[in-house]
Amino acid sequence: SDLDLLTRQARFAEKRSETLRNYNLVENIEELGYALKKELDYTAEAQNIDRFRRSYGDTPTLRLPEVYWEYTTKRVIVMDDIVGIPFTDLDRMEQEGYDLSAIATVVCDFYMRQIFEDGFFHADPHPANLMVSGQQVAVLDFGMVAFISQRMRDDLSDMFVTVFTQ
């Protein structure tokens, strides 16, 4: 209902202001609504977690939650409770003796592998969705994921090679 209200208000504003029409308010709100609805389907998020666990579950530097499917529905997801230090608290990580450079390497390796090898990546990597848990980097919130075509991966690879060699 909130999205419907926002959409109606955006249509109203766009009809009355050429400046606001240039911002494509209705289109942006519809895209936001699509993303929100997709992220709120917990069975889709649970499937994303399982896919990442299949691809990266053997990686000793990563920790991914396990989904308990017998309790998971479209509106509820039940998974491991991962305790750690969120990336939003770098001071605490340093105080507890973590090597921030090594942690950054783990995260970069993880994302490079997602993008360049798998073509399937965690699309919401802000600091609140990453934490250190013991000697591992834990990744949380798999509601937003995306795919990259082989062509795009090839183009990105070419771009990186060009940047590093020139």
Side-chain angles (χ1 to χ4, degrees), residues 35-52:
L36 283 173
K37 288 173 186 170
K38 197 171 167 194
E39 191 167 350
L40 291 175
D41 178 352
Y42 292 120
T43 56
E45 180 171 354
Q47 290 168 347
N48 294 336
I49 292 169
D50 279 354
R51 182 171 180 168
F52 275 93

Side-chain angles (χ1 to χ4, degrees), residues 3-166:
L3 285 170
D4 289 339
L5 179 61
L6 277 173
T7 303
R8 282 187 302 217
Q9 289 174 335
R11 282 190 183 114
F12 178 85
E14 282 185 354
K15 284 180 184 175
R16 285 156 182 77
S17 169
E18 185 177 336
T19 302
L20 291 177
R21 269 192 302 275
N22 292 332
Y23 287 101
N24 299 316
L25 294 177
V26 173
E27 185 179 326
N28 286 316
I29 291 169
E30 287 172 350
E31 181 65 27
L32 171 68
Y34 173 77
L36 283 173
K37 288 173 186 170
K38 197 171 167 194
E39 191 167 350
L40 291 175
D41 178 352
Y42 292 120
T43 56
E45 180 171 354
Q47 290 168 347
N48 294 336
I49 292 169
D50 279 354
R51 182 171 180 168
F52 275 93
R53 284 182 60 83
R54 284 190 304 276
S55 295
Y56 302 97
D58 295 349
T59 308
T61 55
L62 292 174
R63 176 135 187 236
L64 305 167
E66 181 176 348
V67 175
Y68 296 96
W69 281 100
E70 61 271 24
Y71 306 110
T72 296
T73 68
K74 188 172 185 162
R75 294 190 176 257
V76 175
I77 186 170
V78 178
M79 62 186 145
D80 289 334
D81 179 25
I82 298 178
V83 178
I85 304 170
F87 276 30
T88 54
D89 197 350
L90 296 176
D91 291 338
R92 182 170 161 210
M93 282 187 215
E94 285 183 316
Q95 288 169 358
E96 294 195 19
Y98 284 99
D99 180 348
L100 298 184
S101 179
I103 292 168
T105 299
V106 169
V107 173
C108 286
D109 287 348
F110 177 51
Y111 270 89
M112 292 297 167
R113 194 169 149 200
Q114 289 174 65
I115 292 167
F116 292 106
E117 292 179 21
D118 297 337
F120 178 73
F121 67 98
H122 182 284
D124 197 17
H126 61 78
N129 286 341
L130 299 166
M131 67 171 58
V132 290
S133 179
Q135 296 304 308
Q136 297 174 305
V137 171
V139 185
L140 309 171
D141 191 355
F142 292 81
M144 290 192 340
V145 297
F147 294 90
I148 301 176
S149 69
Q150 184 62 52
R151 163 99 184 179
M152 176 68 81
R153 286 184 271 163
D154 293 343
D155 289 346
L156 285 170
S157 294
D158 291 346
M159 182 187 75
F160 273 112
V161 169
T162 302
V163 167
F164 290 122
T165 59
Q166 296 182 7

